[in-house]
Amino acid sequence: MLQPLRILFRPKWMVSRSSGSYVSRMRHLNKIKEEDEACRAALQSGNIFLYHKLAPLLRRTDSGIYQLPALQTKDVEEILEKLGEDKEMVKESILINCTEQNEAQFSFDVGAIEQAAVEELCRGTFVDLRKAFFLLRGSEAPLVARGQALLRWHQTNGFCSSTGQPTQRNQSGSQRVCHSSGITYYPKMSPVVIVLLSDGKRCLLGRQSTFPRGMYSALAGFCDIGETMEEALRREIAEEVGLEVESIQYSGSQHWPFPQSSFMVACHATVNPDKTHVSVDKVELEDARWFSLEEVQEALTIKAPPRNNKGEPTVFWVPPSYAIANRLIQEWANQQHLKS
Ligand SMILES: NC(=O)C1=CN([C@@H]2O[C@H](COP(=O)(O)OP(=O)(O)OC[C@H]3O[C@@H](n4cnc5c(N)ncnc54)[C@H](O)[C@@H]3O)[C@@H](O)[C@H]2O)C=CC1
Ligand SMILES: [Mg+2]
């Protein structure tokens, strides 16, 4: 039932980078991930992104743009010393990635230190991750999400679930080991399917009661253990809206940090145009309904929905562009437009 993989959007990495530099960068990254000594050396010349209780530090430029300040290790050591902390704490930084210039990028949570004092020294503000997603541009949003996801994982996996003994991390933070049981733990993502269902003319969008008012999104659901992605997709659609899927086409994927790390697999799917009656599972969804191309096109133009005097949005709108749901909706609208 899964259609042959067809890339609807060409990601930037497919266009711009020569394979030579990409290969050497990935090999360098893998070395510092696996070898403690290489990672310690990389930290000396690397970039560090600060978080306070998982909220990333952002800096507003004079032109009003928000950026993710990349601090040098010596800067962070200086900040720690100024605030009466042990500068060796910087070694707890977690490797996130590396730049095109092979500079390692780390995340470090200063949650044990007074927030305002760090903000003053860094000339920045710690911002909730959801807000940071709105404020940052381009590749900074996935980077900051990845850094936070890794910090969160370390903060919540300090003990072995078999022996109850403390686990020890390697230098990069790519794993934790319980030396008592020999179990190695790796950072985890939960697989989720997200699907834009079409009957050929309309697309189906739903909303949970916790969504901001007026916002509808593509339907999503966690994969059960042992399921294929296609099985999870068919089951979720059957459970949530009582429809039977006819065909599936893969679109793309995204790491989603809210509320915990999910691996979103995004697909388009179709139903028989004669079998479109929606029966909503009211436990999961507040509402789900079919939307026309015109309605969707209008919603895609809304960047900030108008609000009533209680601050609630007053129109139908869809998730912002950083969410993969938006991309699915955009792709569907483009394809419908080409058909008409
Ligand atoms: N990036 C994007 O564009 C979008 C992302 N999402 C994300 O997709 C995720 C799944 O969507 P839902 O409709 O809420 O899923 P869902 O339809 O599977 O319902 C959630 C329920 O599934 C159960 N569940 C099973 N495995 C779980 C696990 N590993 N973690 C948490 N709960 C689990 C829980 O009972 C939970 O209440 C959400 O975290 C949401 O944030 C949803 C829409 C758009
Ligand atoms: Mg769901």
Side-chain angles (χ1 to χ4, degrees):
M1 187 167 58
L2 185 69
Q3 303 288 306
L5 191 144
R6 207 181 84 208
I7 292 164
L8 298 171
F9 264 59
R10 185 170 283 260
K12 273 198 210 119
W13 57 262
M14 276 196 179
V15 185
S16 60
R17 225 166 270 137
S18 79
S19 62
S21 66
Y22 176 73
V23 169
S24 63
R25 191 160 70 91
M26 287 306 109
R27 295 210 162 151
H28 171 68
L29 184 59
N30 194 43
K31 185 178 165 73
I32 55 180
K33 205 161 126 188
E34 301 297 326
E35 295 176 19
D36 288 356
E37 210 39 62
C39 187
R40 272 191 280 275
L43 180 61
Q44 286 314 306
S45 56
N47 297 324
I48 299 181
F49 303 112
L50 289 190
Y51 294 72
H52 191 277
K53 299 195 173 129
L54 299 176
L57 181 82
L58 302 194
R59 193 179 284 155
R60 194 166 182 265
T61 64
D62 293 342
S63 46
I65 293 170
Y66 282 86
Q67 286 176 337
L68 194 60
L71 307 183
Q72 299 293 302
T73 299
K74 60 174 174 22
D75 300 331
V76 177
E77 286 175 343
E78 211 178 294
I79 290 166
L80 291 171
E81 279 189 321
K82 273 192 182 151
L83 298 175
E85 303 287 335
D86 181 359
K87 69 174 187 176
E88 294 294 306
M89 271 166 66
V90 76
K91 294 197 176 129
E92 290 166 20
S93 300
I94 310 281
L95 178 68
I96 318 174
N97 206 342
C98 73
T99 65
E100 301 217 347
Q101 290 71 40
N102 275 0
E103 292 158 339
Q105 295 167 304
F106 295 85
S107 57
F108 179 52
D109 198 313
V110 290
I113 307 174
E114 196 207 329
Q115 180 177 336
V118 185
E119 287 178 336
E120 197 186 329
L121 286 173
C122 297
R123 291 174 291 108
T125 316
F126 291 104
V127 175
D128 176 75
L129 188 66
R130 272 191 195 269
K131 196 168 167 208
F133 254 55
F134 268 107
L135 298 173
L136 292 171
R137 277 138 210 262
S139 59
E140 287 192 327
L143 184 70
V144 81
R146 191 164 164 176
Q148 195 228 39
L150 283 162
L151 289 169
R152 182 195 294 280
W153 182 79
H154 281 278
Q155 288 174 13
T156 51
N157 285 272
F159 294 89
C160 173
S161 52
S162 172
T163 63
Q165 295 295 314
T167 55
Q168 262 84 47
R169 53 170 281 190
N170 61 348
Q171 183 57 48
S172 68
S174 66
Q175 54 176 252
R176 300 189 73 92
V177 178
C178 169
H179 292 296
S180 172
S181 65
I183 300 174
T184 304
Y185 294 91
Y186 296 96
K188 267 205 210 92
M189 296 191 282
S190 300
V192 171
V193 281
I194 176 159
V195 55
L196 192 68
L197 207 55
S198 173
D199 71 351
K201 288 209 169 91
R202 303 167 300 170
C203 72
L204 189 84
L205 299 174
R207 53 172 280 109
Q208 296 179 6
S209 56
T210 52
F211 284 8
R213 194 165 148 182
M215 191 185 91
Y216 281 72
S217 183
L219 302 183
F222 289 94
C223 296
D224 281 347
I225 201 142
E227 264 183 339
T228 65
M229 181 198 77
E230 299 91 306
E231 287 165 346
L233 189 156
R234 293 190 77 196
R235 176 183 53 74
E236 280 293 332
I237 297 299
E239 279 175 14
E240 294 193 354
V241 289
L243 289 168
E244 204 155 316
V245 166
E246 281 202 326
S247 72
I248 302 173
Q249 188 180 53
Y250 171 77
S251 166
S253 62
Q254 174 182 52
H255 166 240
W256 189 244
F258 312 111
Q260 306 261 336
S261 274
S262 294
F263 176 62
M264 309 291 305
V265 180
C267 294
H268 292 275
T270 59
V271 291
N272 183 329
D274 297 327
K275 293 182 183 165
T276 58
H277 175 69
V278 175
S279 130
V280 177
D281 172 358
K282 290 285 183 181
V283 178
E284 292 278 332
L285 294 174
E286 185 181 86
D287 187 28
R289 56 191 179 90
W290 294 102
F291 288 85
S292 68
L293 176 61
E294 292 69 33
E295 287 174 295
V296 166
Q297 278 175 325
E298 174 74 28
L300 283 167
T301 62
I302 299 170
K303 297 283 172 267
R307 289 168 192 269
N308 63 18
N309 52 14
K310 287 190 200 145
E312 297 162 331
T314 54
V315 292
F316 157 56
W317 57 296
V318 292
S321 58
Y322 60 76
I324 203 157
N326 181 287
R327 167 177 152 168
L328 281 174
I329 297 165
Q330 188 84 61
E331 285 174 346
W332 179 83
N334 291 347
Q335 287 200 333
Q336 289 301 114
H337 189 68
L338 287 176
K339 272 189 354 195
S340 60

